[in-house]
Amino acid sequence: ACRAPISAPQSGTGLENQWQSPEQDTIIDALARMVARAPDRPYLDFGGEMYTYRDIDRRTTRMAHAFKDLGINAGQTMVTMLDNNVDAVTTWLALNKIGAVSVPVNTALRGEFLRHQITDSDAEIVVCEAEYLDRMADIAEALIPRVRLILYRGNRDTLPSCGITIAPLDDYRGSDDTPIETRPRPSDLAALIYTSGTTEPSKGCMISFNYIMHLAKLKLRFNPA
């Protein structure tokens, strides 16, 4: 993974105020504020399937504890290959609640492109849709020994032959509602987002919590609707 160094303007150039902002935030803190302010307000709508702020807070806390029980700790990565659904958001926030790093990869990937991003991210666990299990099995030998578990979302009549343990994500949704006391800092790494890899191997862009929040604020500023 890599990121391009960014240097703030030197003092006296007149540009300092354009690079400095007192606002520092994380998506986890923003979620906590909304749970306190309006817990039953709709937060997510997936084709009419509604989830409130309280719903997502509870789901992500439970899954965060389950991930910790799997040995995922702050700073560790987890790859997700999920379609646009509530679990794509739940796994992301659950990882971030414990300070772990979400690595969502393109659902069109397969073969060497997929292997490269999983191994480059240094993830031990992969979460994917059930229909993508065959792609994971095809590259499993190249993922061993680092990847130790593949969790799949949805149903499968039969599982592919694979040298890595495969289990349903439903077994790891958790049930512990104890609040996660520690919270990530705005400067902490929240996600690795990989480049397309069309001209050279994909590179993981290191995305901080505050960067994510800044993008959200820019969207609201320029496209409030």
Side-chain angles (χ1 to χ4, degrees), residues 1-218:
C2 69
R3 65 178 170 190
I6 300 176
S7 301
Q10 297 299 311
S11 177
T13 63
L15 298 177
E16 301 94 317
N17 291 335
Q18 296 182 34
W19 286 75
Q20 297 176 358
S21 171
E23 297 182 60
Q24 299 286 310
D25 205 356
T26 75
I27 185 64
I28 301 305
D29 287 326
L31 175 61
R33 291 195 299 271
M34 288 306 301
V35 171
R37 185 183 309 162
D40 297 318
R41 180 183 297 177
Y43 176 31
L44 298 175
D45 178 357
F46 288 97
E49 191 175 353
M50 305 293 294
Y51 298 88
T52 66
Y53 286 97
R54 191 202 308 271
D55 292 334
I56 296 302
D57 185 52
R58 182 182 297 117
R59 292 170 69 100
T60 54
T61 293
R62 290 175 175 178
M63 188 173 281
H65 284 295
F67 286 166
K68 282 183 67 70
D69 291 342
L70 280 173
I72 298 298
N73 297 305
Q76 289 185 272
T77 54
M78 180 186 286
V79 166
T80 60
M81 192 174 180
L82 297 170
D83 295 332
N84 187 26
N85 52 57
V86 67
D87 285 325
V89 178
T90 302
T91 55
W92 161 37
L93 294 178
L95 289 168
N96 280 179
K97 275 192 172 182
I98 56 177
V101 182
S102 174
V103 188
V105 300
N106 191 320
T107 57
L109 293 179
R110 61 181 69 239
E112 176 59 19
F113 285 93
L114 180 58
R115 182 214 63 79
H116 168 73
Q117 292 190 16
I118 294 175
T119 56
D120 186 71
S121 73
D122 204 32
E124 295 183 10
I125 298 176
V126 174
V127 180
C128 70
E129 301 289 344
E131 64 183 290
Y132 304 145
L133 274 177
D134 295 305
R135 298 188 212 171
M136 296 295 173
D138 288 343
I139 60 172
E141 291 303 314
L143 302 179
I144 298 171
R146 184 59 182 173
V147 176
R148 56 184 173 85
L149 177 63
I150 299 172
L151 301 178
Y152 66 93
R153 176 186 183 275
N155 301 313
R156 284 280 303 233
D157 292 331
T158 59
L159 298 179
S161 176
C162 184
I164 301 171
T165 300
I166 299 175
L169 178 62
D170 286 344
D171 291 350
Y172 296 92
R173 295 190 180 277
S175 59
D176 189 348
D177 290 316
T178 305
I180 307 293
E181 296 299 332
T182 58
R183 291 187 182 178
R185 298 169 300 178
S187 60
D188 287 343
L189 184 62
L192 290 179
I193 306 295
Y194 276 82
T195 59
S196 62
T198 52
T199 57
E200 57 186 5
S202 301
K203 291 176 281 295
C205 300
M206 301 172 70
I207 309 298
S208 71
F209 284 92
N210 204 50
Y211 182 84
I212 291 173
M213 296 302 293
H214 183 63
L215 289 182
K217 290 172 184 176
L218 284 177

